[in-house]
Amino acid sequence: MSLIQSVLKLPRTYKRAISLLIDSVFLLCAFWLALFMRLESFSPLFEQNYWLVFACALPLCLLAFVKLGLYRAVLRYMNMQAVWAIALGSVVSAMFIIGLSFTLNAGIPRTVPFIFMSLCLIFVGGSRISVRAVISHQLWHKKASVLIYGAGSAGRQLSNALSQGPEYHAVAFVDDDIALHRSVIQGIRVYSPDEISTLVINKKVEKILLAMPSASRARRKEVLSKIDSLGVEVLTIPGMADVVDGKAKLEEFKDVGVEDLLGRDPVEPKPELMNADVAGKIVMVTGAGGSIGSELCRQIILLKPAKLVLFELSEFGLYTIDKELNEYILTHGLAVEVMPLLGSVQNVNRIETVMKSFAVQTVYHAAAYKHVPLVEHNVVEGVRNNVFGTYYAARAAINANVETFVLISTDKAVRPTNIMGTTKRMAELVLQALSKTQKSTRFCMVRFGNVLGSSGSVVPLFRKQIRAGGPVTLTHPDITRYFMTIPEASQLVIQAGAMGKGGDVFVLDMGDSVKIYDLARKIIQLGGFSVKEDQTPEGDIEIKCTGLRPGEKLYEELLIGDNVAGTTHERIMSAQEAMLDWFELEPMLNSLDEACHAFDHELIREILFIAPTGFNPTDGICDLVWQQKVQEPVKTAEVIELKVAN
């Protein structure tokens, strides 16, 4: 083995010279063995004419192999092209023997060239196949054993890619197609899914690779449910579209997406709804650098607006999305102007000037503080940004004659137990009230739950904790949430906005809610680890519950009541909910503004109670600055008492 490794490490020129020398010996052996097999005598060795024929044929045969590219083929990656080169070279070599025999009048029997051709195939071709097998066998001992789920086109391509790589070798295929069971594809046997657990043990499988790029999410969820408890890491290959576009390689594996665990396939967007408020129009996205805002921008660019205005408070967030969009526009030759603008939605003059200057026609208002505990700790800023930021943006839209204004709302606005959800419900009430006062700007709200991959999403946190060896932390074992992918949510927001008539509250169909504890278990198990709990104390990763955070709910809801109607889109519903007239809401906003300015948290909370938000807090006032100010008089009194005592 060490000799083979030494040869493989030689420069390419040296290896070709060695191949030529060895093939010369093989041709010599094939020629004289063919004569011996035909004549059953060693007497030809003493015939001068035979030696002359071989001496002339040898360089011609080697030249034929060279011209056919045999020595350009890398031995360990030898494919059908190299096999054809050997076969054709052997045929040409036999023809040289025939021609030289007649030319030199050597009297070589007519069957000898055909025997020589067969022996050439065996010696030249067989030697290469043998060396390749030895090298592959040696490398296999250093590779991890993997099982490929899916024996279709993607699975076969993956098997080929793995055989040429240094990391993995496939020991089995598993496929649902009964017709493929017990068959052998590329030297690898195909098994039934029922045999996976046995295969994992007997063949010491370290990873399972899902080669199902075209399967629906529902089908992938079904497959994952069969293998998530095997204690083997499960990875998936990229989609074939990404492979074809050059965005990924087939052998670039990735973690199983949580969208596959949810098993919910997105609905194809309706072009007429997607284009209605975007195509050829001047569109503005507030909070354009956030997770939802940036995905809205990506979807909007695809619809070819005349101009896209990015409004963002974070300089880095704005720079990132602006750079990404401009690269996409340049690559695809789009005629879309992108305007990156820094600004806060709390600055009414700035936002109104922007809308008027660019003659904005459609606004998607995604700017908001959405992190529940942070808003609990920063109440005034949460109210300012979420309530008054929305109010100022809406007023600016009316004054700038914007046609459509879409608010990105949240399921936490339904019977809220925290300040963040309450402020978002107040923002909804503001738009509903304003929609009654005028008809120039069409206001609507789109309410949905958590999006996978957003800032603050639990999934990246779980994966990071698993890589660190645990524990995986969640707030409560019974907590549930609705989930949706960012692209699907953004597409539905655009489509819902096109259906609004004024003051509409649209609710996205998020499917069934997911128990976060079960989600954490699946992510741990699909990572190849076991869960450490009372029943399995020897497990790898512990799931630790830390307790509900300030303002956090166990269960989220999407509707305040049962009064909901369907729309022309199967994933979008219209909620009929209580709203206020502007003359009722305006005094509340004025009082709330004064309370924020005075930093009067008791009054802020009282106003939020009075407004029809359904606010039902689970905690007291958690604002960090307010708590510090409350504690200061107590500390001062203690100091005075100590001085008096002394």
Side-chain angles (χ1 to χ4, degrees):
M1 292 298 180
S2 59
L3 177 62
I4 293 175
Q5 290 297 328
S6 301
V7 172
L8 290 175
K9 291 178 181 178
L10 289 173
R12 190 92 184 109
T13 306
Y14 288 2
K15 286 190 280 189
R16 285 176 177 170
I18 292 171
S19 296
L20 281 166
L21 178 62
I22 293 173
D23 286 345
S24 299
V25 174
F26 283 150
L27 290 170
L28 175 66
C29 294
F31 180 76
W32 292 110
L33 187 58
L35 284 168
F36 174 77
M37 291 173 68
R38 171 64 180 82
L39 301 174
E40 298 183 355
S41 170
F42 290 106
S43 58
L45 287 170
F46 306 103
E47 293 286 341
Q48 186 177 356
N49 286 344
Y50 290 168
W51 279 105
L52 183 61
V53 169
F54 178 75
C56 294
L58 180 61
L60 293 173
C61 294
L62 292 174
L63 181 63
F65 283 131
V66 169
K67 291 295 184 182
L68 289 167
L70 179 61
Y71 301 107
R72 289 196 300 270
V74 180
L75 192 59
R76 74 184 80 178
Y77 304 135
M78 193 176 73
N79 54 18
M80 284 304 299
Q81 185 179 356
V83 173
W84 279 112
I86 294 168
L88 189 56
S90 300
V91 172
V92 172
S93 299
M95 292 174 66
F96 286 146
I97 297 293
I98 294 170
L100 289 169
S101 176
F102 280 109
T103 303
L104 300 175
N105 196 22
I108 293 177
R110 285 174 291 182
T111 55
V112 168
F114 297 101
I115 299 172
F116 171 76
M117 179 181 68
S118 302
L119 292 172
C120 276
L121 277 170
I122 293 171
F123 291 161
V124 178
S127 64
R128 282 164 168 76
I129 292 172
S130 300
V131 172
R132 181 188 174 186
V134 170
I135 294 171
S136 299
H137 181 73
Q138 187 178 11
L139 292 174
W140 277 14
H141 286 292
K142 300 177 181 178
K143 293 182 177 183
S145 300
V146 298
L147 182 151
I148 299 176
Y149 199 115
S153 173
R156 294 194 295 272
Q157 291 179 57
L158 178 59
S159 171
N160 275 332
L162 294 180
S163 67
Q164 298 174 11
E167 295 177 320
Y168 306 108
H169 74 96
V171 295
F173 280 117
V174 168
D175 201 278
D176 300 314
D177 188 352
I178 299 175
L180 293 176
H181 294 171
R182 302 301 168 189
S183 63
V184 177
I185 297 175
Q186 296 172 346
I188 303 171
R189 195 166 186 177
V190 184
Y191 295 87
S192 163
D194 298 333
E195 301 175 84
I196 288 183
S197 57
T198 305
L199 289 169
V200 168
I201 297 170
N202 294 344
K203 295 187 178 290
K204 299 178 180 178
V205 172
E206 296 182 30
K207 299 178 191 289
I208 296 176
L209 307 179
L210 293 185
M212 306 166 60
S214 303
S216 67
R217 286 181 185 160
R219 176 68 193 124
R220 291 166 75 88
K221 180 185 179 183
E222 186 181 338
V223 169
L224 290 169
S225 65
K226 297 177 183 177
I227 60 180
D228 61 6
S229 59
L230 295 176
V232 178
E233 185 178 5
V234 181
L235 300 172
T236 184
I237 64 173
M240 294 310 292
D242 290 335
V243 174
V244 172
D245 292 341
K247 296 177 182 176
K249 294 181 181 179
L250 193 67
E251 62 273 21
E252 288 180 349
F253 312 120
K254 56 183 182 179
D255 293 327
V256 174
V258 182
E259 57 270 23
D260 294 329
L261 297 177
L262 301 180
R264 186 170 175 274
D265 290 303
V267 174
E268 197 68 26
K270 297 186 177 183
E272 65 276 12
L273 293 176
M274 291 290 288
N275 289 307
D277 292 328
V278 176
K281 295 195 173 186
I282 300 168
V283 181
M284 177 176 176
V285 178
T286 68
S291 46
I292 297 293
S294 60
E295 183 60 33
L296 275 170
C297 293
R298 295 184 193 102
Q299 298 292 337
I300 289 167
I301 280 290
L302 299 176
L303 301 171
K304 300 177 182 177
K307 194 175 293 185
L308 177 57
V309 180
L310 312 177
F311 195 80
E312 173 59 53
L313 180 62
S314 165
E315 181 186 26
F316 178 73
L318 183 62
Y319 165 78
T320 303
I321 188 61
D322 177 53
K323 183 173 181 291
E324 179 186 335
L325 295 178
N326 278 295
E327 286 176 355
Y328 183 88
I329 289 168
L330 186 64
T331 304
H332 294 81
L334 301 180
V336 181
E337 288 186 82
V338 176
M339 301 295 170
L341 300 176
L342 285 167
S344 168
V345 290
Q346 297 183 49
N347 187 338
V348 63
N349 293 329
R350 171 68 170 167
I351 196 166
E352 184 172 327
T353 302
V354 168
M355 290 183 186
K356 286 181 176 179
S357 299
F358 292 99
V360 173
Q361 295 167 279
T362 303
V363 173
Y364 293 98
H365 183 58
Y369 292 143
K370 306 180 183 74
H371 196 274
V372 170
L374 283 180
V375 176
E376 287 293 303
H377 294 321
N378 299 272
V379 172
V380 171
E381 284 305 306
V383 172
R384 283 283 183 204
N385 202 60
N386 294 358
V387 178
F388 291 100
T390 302
Y391 171 48
Y392 297 151
R395 274 290 182 201
I398 294 170
N399 295 337
N401 294 315
V402 170
E403 297 170 7
T404 304
F405 186 103
V406 182
L407 168 68
I408 313 301
S409 191
T410 171
D411 57 355
K412 293 174 178 61
V414 178
R415 283 182 275 273
T417 58
N418 52 67
I419 295 295
M420 193 283 282
T422 308
T423 58
K424 294 299 283 185
R425 178 58 186 144
M426 280 292 288
E428 291 180 357
L429 291 170
V430 167
L431 295 193
Q432 288 173 321
L434 285 175
S435 67
K436 293 183 176 184
T437 65
Q438 49 78 52
K439 297 297 180 185
S440 61
T441 301
R442 184 166 51 92
F443 291 106
C444 64
M445 295 126 272
V446 184
R447 189 187 290 162
F448 55 92
N450 298 270
V451 286
L452 296 169
S454 67
S455 57
S457 175
V458 296
V459 178
L461 175 62
F462 286 169
R463 294 199 193 281
K464 182 179 178 181
Q465 290 173 335
I466 291 168
R467 285 194 294 269
V472 169
T473 58
L474 63 148
T475 56
H476 195 281
D478 296 325
I479 196 166
T480 65
R481 288 294 181 265
Y482 290 99
F483 285 101
M484 181 179 282
T485 64
I486 297 180
E488 183 184 9
S490 300
Q491 289 175 359
L492 290 174
V493 164
I494 294 171
Q495 293 173 90
M499 293 190 289
K501 297 180 177 63
D504 311 80
V505 176
F506 292 108
V507 179
L508 303 187
D509 176 8
M510 303 285 292
D512 297 326
S513 61
V514 177
K515 193 173 182 180
I516 304 300
Y517 189 91
D518 294 341
L519 182 64
R521 281 184 64 93
K522 286 183 179 292
I523 294 174
I524 291 170
Q525 291 170 340
L526 291 172
F529 302 100
S530 58
V531 180
K532 183 178 181 180
E533 47 193 352
D534 294 339
Q535 299 86 346
T536 53
E538 72 286 352
D540 302 310
I541 306 289
E542 181 185 4
I543 299 177
K544 186 177 289 185
C545 295
T546 58
L548 290 174
R549 297 173 297 180
E552 191 170 34
K553 294 170 70 174
L554 272 180
Y555 314 104
E556 298 292 0
E557 305 166 89
L558 288 166
L559 294 168
I560 293 175
D562 297 325
N563 194 3
V564 62
T567 66
T568 55
H569 197 291
E570 61 184 278
R571 290 277 171 89
I572 302 172
M573 299 173 289
S574 177
Q576 310 300 317
E577 296 179 352
M579 61 177 72
L580 297 176
D581 289 315
W582 183 248
F583 72 86
E584 297 175 287
L585 184 63
E586 187 176 24
M588 293 183 190
L589 288 179
N590 292 335
S591 299
L592 190 60
D593 186 22
E594 292 172 5
C596 288
H597 184 73
F599 208 71
D600 189 342
H601 281 271
E602 288 91 347
L603 182 56
I604 291 172
R605 180 165 284 219
E606 185 180 336
I607 294 167
L608 295 178
F609 273 128
I610 295 170
T613 59
F615 183 37
N616 183 25
T618 54
D619 300 278
I621 299 172
C622 300
D623 187 277
L624 297 178
V625 178
W626 182 86
Q627 288 182 343
Q628 186 68 26
K629 289 187 72 174
V630 168
Q631 290 170 6
E632 280 178 1
V634 176
K635 290 180 180 178
T636 303
E638 289 175 353
V639 170
I640 292 170
E641 287 177 6
L642 284 170
K643 286 182 177 179
V644 171
N646 292 331

